[in-house]
Amino acid sequence: MASRVSLKAKGKSSKGSKASEDRSASECLKEWTTWAMRKAKVVTHYGFIPLVIIIGMNSDPKPPLSQLLSPV
């Protein structure tokens, strides 16, 4: 026979289980948001300059790479 998985809340009583579920859902949302913002920060940090170079190379006059990377 197949085993059954119980979804009972852990703790002393089920009286405050609704509040703990809401709190855990809000904590989960907060953790996910923090994780997503950290990943977005890294992607922006390492992806901005290459994006500018790619857009510059695909522009109409087609400048050489040395002209795109020079500060003048």
Side-chain angles (χ1 to χ4, degrees), residues 26-46:
S26 65
E27 287 176 4
C28 182
L29 180 64
K30 184 178 178 182
E31 288 176 13
W32 184 87
T33 305
T34 304
W35 177 85
M37 291 303 291
R38 285 183 180 170
K39 297 299 179 186
K41 182 179 176 182
V42 171
V43 167
T44 304
H45 181 78
Y46 289 108

Side-chain angles (χ1 to χ4, degrees), residues 49-65 68:
I49 298 298
L51 178 67
V52 169
I53 292 172
I54 290 171
I55 290 173
M57 290 185 74
N58 290 333
S59 64
D60 200 23
K62 298 280 184 191
L65 185 60
L68 283 175

